[in-house]
Amino acid sequence: MRARTRTARRAVVLAAVASLGAGLLAGCADDGGDDASDGSSSGSGKGKTTITLGLFGTFGFKEAGLYAEYEKLHPNIKIEENVTERNENYYPALVNHLTTNSGLMDVQAIEVGNIAEVVATQAAKFVDVSKISGVDKSNWLDWKWAQATAKDGSTIGLGTDVGPMAICYRKDLYEAAGLPTDRAEVAKLWTGDWNKFVQAGEQYKKKAKAGTFFMDSPGGLLNAILGSEKEKFYDSSGNIIYKSNPAVKTAFDLTAKAAEEGLVQSQTQFQPTWEQTIANSKFATIACPPWMLGTIKGKAKPEDAGKWDVATAPKSANWGGSFLAVPKSGKHVKEAEALITWLTAPEQQTKLFKVQGNFPSAPSTYTSPEVTGAKNEMTGDSPIGTIFAEAAKTAPVQVIGPKDQIIQQGLSDNGVFLVTKGKSAKEAWETATKTIDNNLDK
Amino acid sequence: MATRHDTAAPPVKEGGAAPGRPPAEAAQAEARRRDRLSRRWQRDIRWSPYAFVSPFFLLFLAFGLFPLVYTGWASLHQVEMTAPTDMTWVGLRNYTRIFDDEFFWNAAKNTLTIGIISTVPQLLMAMGLAHILNYRLRASTFYRVAMLAPYATSIAAASLVFVLLFGRDYGMINWALHFVGIDAIDWQNDKWPSQIAVSTIIIWRWTGYNALIYLAAMQAIPQDLYESAALDGANRWQQFFHVTLPSLRPTILFTVVVSTIGASQVFGEPLLFDANKGASGGAEHQFQTLGLYLYEQGWVNQHLGRASAIAWTMFLILIVVGIVNYVISRRLRASS
């Protein structure tokens, strides 16, 4: 009896010590938290306000030296970025934080594919950036500004970059197939009509170098065609029209036709095999926003430098681009507003373009020598700056909807892709629409 | 602690009370004190164990039971991840529609087939490996550790390697098959090849783990059984079938149950094997498991209510599987 009690007592003491210890640890952790969030305690950040940015992928602000520059201009500010590698992981977490109103950074980035959903469901959680002093709406492309604007007129984010689309092609492969190689003549092959683009592919296939394909993937082609439509999956009043919209069906059927004829390789973009195929020079054509040049540069063999060129797309389109937004519940709303205003100003967008290749969403920069004189290693001396600027200016103001990504992915991965596996266009359309409807059904 | 030193003091003997106090009163006070102490002891002995186990149950309440109940509640509503507090009561609709949700049943079928083509060869191979390792081998510790290495590897890293190996155009497996005259197989987009590929990752990961369990059980089999079998003229194979296997029966049952549960929850391997980085398990959902379908509904499509209903249905299926396992194992035990 006695022995047991003594053990019990010892345990009580242990428990007390342990809980005390835990309390102390928790106390320490709390202190640490304060340190990180307002930087008011001792250390290097003394007296400074720390602004945190939640980003995904590579925005390049740090790489372009913009944080350092801003900190120099504002000695009382310290900038910290918190980067998630993939938007697929970043976005659900952002939605979670927004709905629970916790864990938010002072600045949150939003990808263009998600902006419509955020605008439609979470606009009230963000500062209206159009009311920030010093923000001039006319600095941005109209359609870029419109994408982040809610029905009630408030705008939730400032554009960082856009993805005006052009067509990248291999000069050597085009030459071997008897197609023109000069970028003006290449563009003439298909000006104004995606049908002509597919016809150019048919022409390519006749004399193509063995083992090469006119285009990389059905998903890439469908994406390019749909990107140049004003309305694709939603109408301007927000109704889902993807099944009845003739533009979508036409794009789908045209892509399916190209897949049936073997003009596109049976691949999905950004997967390892696709990257290896770029390295092995098997794709003659890729739909190409400026950031795709970076992908090609990263994957292609160094000896392929200069073998690529860029031609204007059949119709202007946009693919990609992000926004910076300030959640109202942030700790340093005023400072964050000032920071994003500065980061997205035309001068800074130009610097970002020079270092990272992110194409500016500020049209005033399109005539600046930095943009017009831009060059890319893979595409030799092509005037990529002017080609992309022209595409950016003429891209349609596209109606984007909250579930665009789900619909787009369904159409390409569960749809046109199947045609390359021997399914008919009709079967592919049925599989795609069934999948999409199931995914949209709440 | 200091305040309770007195409880450790020896009980006061008759006449040993402090001077100046009448013995009767002292005895009474002593009795009261002992009474109080014993009550305290009793309470201590009675309740302290609960206090000691409480951390587990508090954590279980917070991270086990609450999510379970909340998921059940959410499954009766239409609720989106973009607004989790905005719930609309829909009753059992999320459950009833599962009955004619072809994607759910497709996922259930895939879970079953992937479960079979991964579990059966896995356990057979594990048994074989364990049998070999049970012999006297040089560097046997090395082999035993090596077998556990796949289990210790993260699924993410392993799956990425397997995606490269199973590549259609530049994968090593198709390259090897090419030499024996087999055409390139589209491991990712054809139904059975993709399921076999996913199963391969699972087999690779868990075979060593199960082999070690079998090995441990084999080493507990008394050596005399083998000796007497050998005296009776049984060869190695006969020894394996008539001595080893019967002795391993409880262990085999255990691994079958654990593997079945594991197979019904397969998630990471098919998710990472998917080229599209989505959760649809291939263009035609050809290797979408139930776990993956649940993830797709909840996280990709943001339908929390539907995802919760799928989770609960999976839970109920698991219970059924558990009961079937239990019945079979009881039958087996009774027959032995």
Side-chain angles (χ1 to χ4, degrees):
Chain A
M1 186 75 192
R2 168 154 296 173
R4 269 174 70 190
T5 343
R6 202 172 274 166
T7 335
R9 238 185 291 145
R10 206 172 289 156
V12 167
V13 174
L14 267 175
V17 170
S19 64
L20 198 71
L24 281 172
L25 280 175
C28 292
D30 274 355
D31 287 350
D34 286 340
D35 235 318
S37 52
D38 59 35
S40 55
S41 44
S42 62
S44 60
K46 198 162 197 171
K48 282 189 181 179
T49 309
T50 304
I51 305 181
T52 49
L53 287 95
L55 308 176
F56 53 87
T58 312
F59 270 73
F61 297 136
K62 192 183 229 162
E63 291 80 351
L66 295 182
Y67 295 152
E69 198 179 335
Y70 191 78
E71 283 170 355
K72 213 174 208 177
L73 290 169
H74 304 83
N76 59 332
I77 298 282
K78 203 168 156 275
I79 301 173
E80 261 176 29
E81 62 171 21
N82 192 329
V83 183
T84 307
E85 193 69 40
R86 297 175 63 89
N87 186 45
E88 286 89 328
N89 303 328
Y90 169 86
Y91 181 63
L94 172 64
V95 170
N96 232 327
H97 290 156
L98 282 171
T99 51
T100 55
N101 239 333
S102 69
L104 287 162
M105 304 278 149
D106 295 317
V107 175
Q108 292 282 356
I110 303 166
E111 218 267 336
V112 65
N114 307 119
I115 190 76
E117 187 161 62
V118 178
V119 166
T121 62
Q122 315 287 340
K125 305 257 166 80
F126 289 102
V127 168
D128 181 358
V129 292
S130 63
K131 301 236 166 67
I132 301 175
S133 71
V135 168
D136 180 3
K137 186 183 161 180
S138 66
N139 270 344
W140 280 267
L141 291 159
D142 292 337
W143 53 267
K144 183 77 178 172
W145 186 266
Q147 282 176 337
T149 304
K151 277 211 180 76
D152 63 2
S154 69
T155 305
I156 63 160
L158 295 177
T160 55
D161 63 326
V162 288
M165 202 185 66
I167 303 289
C168 295
Y169 63 98
R170 288 279 303 230
K171 281 184 282 193
D172 52 342
L173 294 180
Y174 268 43
E175 194 176 4
L179 290 177
T181 55
D182 177 72
R183 70 185 74 88
E185 276 178 62
V186 168
K188 242 185 255 164
L189 283 175
W190 52 59
T191 307
D193 191 352
W194 284 102
N195 275 307
K196 287 197 211 160
F197 181 77
V198 173
Q199 279 157 19
E202 287 162 355
Q203 217 178 318
Y204 174 87
K205 209 200 163 195
K206 275 181 205 150
K207 290 204 300 183
K209 199 175 149 197
T212 65
F213 284 80
F214 177 64
M215 217 177 165
D216 61 330
S217 70
L221 178 56
L222 182 73
N223 191 14
I225 303 175
L226 286 174
S228 52
E229 294 295 339
K230 261 205 162 94
E231 272 184 0
K232 45 178 190 177
F233 308 141
Y234 287 76
D235 66 13
S236 47
S237 41
N239 303 311
I240 297 181
I241 54 159
Y242 85 97
K243 266 194 283 190
S244 56
N245 185 357
V248 174
K249 192 75 199 331
T250 312
F252 190 91
D253 288 341
L254 185 60
T255 311
K257 183 181 162 223
E260 235 158 32
E261 292 174 359
L263 309 182
V264 294
Q265 160 78 302
S266 161
Q267 288 204 347
T268 306
Q269 292 187 315
F270 311 110
Q271 75 173 82
T273 317
W274 179 82
E275 292 170 349
Q276 285 158 348
T277 316
I278 293 181
N280 291 328
S281 313
K282 303 285 191 204
F283 297 145
T285 319
I286 296 177
C288 209
W291 49 262
M292 186 68 94
L293 287 175
T295 308
I296 293 176
K297 192 174 142 193
K299 301 302 167 193
K301 293 200 179 99
E303 61 260 35
D304 286 342
K307 288 188 185 158
W308 287 90
D309 209 330
V310 185
T312 310
K315 289 175 175 175
S316 297
N318 181 69
W319 181 7
S322 299
F323 297 86
L324 291 182
V326 178
K328 278 178 189 164
S329 61
K331 279 191 186 148
H332 310 290
V333 173
K334 282 276 159 277
E335 291 86 347
E337 284 177 349
L339 174 64
I340 66 164
T341 308
W342 186 83
L343 277 177
T344 58
E347 306 81 53
Q348 274 64 250
Q349 289 200 33
T350 314
K351 286 176 206 160
L352 209 56
F353 173 67
K354 249 172 84 179
V355 182
Q356 288 291 315
N358 295 2
F359 205 79
S361 56
S364 62
T365 64
Y366 296 167
T367 46
S368 73
E370 282 96 342
V371 173
T372 54
K375 295 268 189 299
N376 174 281
E377 208 181 310
M378 280 293 137
T379 53
D381 58 352
S382 339
I384 51 173
T386 26
I387 293 173
F388 287 126
E390 195 49 45
K393 277 186 277 187
T394 52
V397 185
Q398 195 166 45
V399 179
I400 52 173
K403 299 292 181 188
D404 268 10
Q405 255 183 348
I406 285 178
I407 301 174
Q408 179 105 31
Q409 187 159 8
L411 286 177
S412 54
D413 297 345
N414 308 101
V416 281
F417 181 80
L418 292 173
V419 181
T420 63
K421 301 294 304 170
K423 290 271 157 77
S424 72
K426 194 167 162 271
E427 284 173 303
W429 175 259
E430 273 165 14
T431 311
T433 49
K434 222 165 22 179
T435 305
I436 294 166
D437 288 347
N438 181 50
N439 288 346
L440 292 177
D441 186 9
K442 290 178 182 176
Chain B
M1 189 72 178
T3 54
R4 300 189 65 188
H5 258 309
D6 52 349
T7 61
V12 183
K13 290 200 178 77
E14 203 75 52
R21 228 189 221 177
E25 202 186 317
Q28 224 174 13
E30 180 60 29
R32 247 183 296 144
R33 212 187 67 191
R34 287 177 66 176
D35 201 36
R36 200 172 60 231
L37 279 175
S38 89
R39 249 184 291 132
R40 216 191 274 168
W41 278 353
Q42 271 171 3
R43 243 178 285 147
D44 184 8
I45 285 159
R46 187 138 178 226
W47 297 109
S48 295
Y50 292 100
F52 300 146
V53 295
S54 67
F56 167 77
F57 284 97
L58 289 176
L59 287 175
F60 173 73
L61 274 179
F63 298 104
L65 195 64
F66 172 72
L68 201 67
V69 172
Y70 184 81
T71 310
W73 181 242
S75 72
L76 302 172
H77 293 81
Q78 187 188 79
V79 50
E80 295 289 285
M81 198 165 85
T82 45
T85 48
D86 184 9
M87 288 178 155
T88 321
W89 177 265
V90 290
L92 290 173
R93 183 168 156 262
N94 285 328
Y95 290 95
T96 52
R97 76 163 138 198
I98 282 180
F99 285 105
D100 38 44
D101 181 349
E102 57 175 295
F103 295 97
F104 179 87
W105 294 111
N106 169 61
K109 241 185 281 168
N110 290 340
T111 310
L112 184 70
T113 49
I114 290 178
I116 290 171
I117 52 183
S118 63
T119 309
V120 174
Q122 180 194 138
L123 294 183
L124 290 177
M125 279 162 60
M127 181 65 77
L129 275 174
H131 186 62
I132 295 169
L133 280 179
N134 202 22
Y135 287 121
R136 232 175 263 279
L137 284 180
R138 215 177 279 178
S140 64
T141 316
F142 168 77
Y143 291 118
R144 286 168 199 180
V145 173
M147 277 207 309
L148 216 54
Y151 172 65
T153 313
S154 96
I155 322 179
S159 298
L160 287 179
V161 174
F162 276 94
V163 167
L164 287 177
L165 288 179
F166 280 111
R168 181 195 55 195
D169 298 332
Y170 308 106
M172 210 205 273
I173 291 174
N174 274 351
W175 175 76
L177 287 177
H178 161 79
F179 285 109
V180 289
I182 297 173
D183 280 344
I185 295 171
D186 197 343
W187 291 104
Q188 239 149 16
N189 297 306
D190 291 340
K191 183 170 178 184
W192 291 109
S194 66
Q195 295 207 354
I196 291 170
V198 170
S199 302
T200 309
I201 310 176
I202 303 170
I203 292 171
W204 176 81
R205 236 181 130 224
W206 291 95
T207 302
Y209 173 84
N210 285 310
L212 282 192
I213 293 178
Y214 288 149
L215 180 62
M218 279 178 190
Q219 293 192 330
I221 301 172
Q223 197 58 39
D224 357 344
L225 285 179
Y226 290 102
E227 275 168 22
S228 57
L231 281 177
D232 290 342
N235 63 24
R236 291 270 193 200
W237 272 111
Q238 285 166 328
Q239 286 178 20
F240 178 72
F241 279 109
H242 298 290
V243 179
T244 313
L245 276 189
S247 317
L248 285 185
R249 195 173 277 163
T251 316
I252 295 172
L253 271 175
F254 169 75
T255 53
V256 167
V257 171
V258 170
S259 302
T260 314
I261 294 174
S264 56
Q265 294 173 333
V266 165
F267 168 69
E269 289 88 351
L271 176 75
L272 293 158
F273 190 69
D274 193 352
N276 303 331
K277 312 286 180 217
S280 67
E284 291 178 285
H285 311 274
Q286 66 270 23
F287 56 94
Q288 185 172 45
T289 58
L290 280 175
L292 208 51
Y293 187 56
L294 160 70
Y295 177 81
E296 187 186 29
Q297 287 307 330
W299 270 259
V300 181
N301 302 331
Q302 310 186 341
H303 309 318
L304 287 188
R306 282 185 79 180
S308 306
I310 295 168
W312 265 88
T313 311
M314 278 175 72
F315 181 57
L316 295 177
I317 291 176
L318 264 184
I319 288 178
V320 171
V321 169
I323 290 172
V324 169
N325 256 320
Y326 174 73
V327 169
I328 293 176
S329 62
R330 257 184 54 156
R331 283 270 166 82
L332 283 176
R333 217 174 289 152
S335 72
S336 68

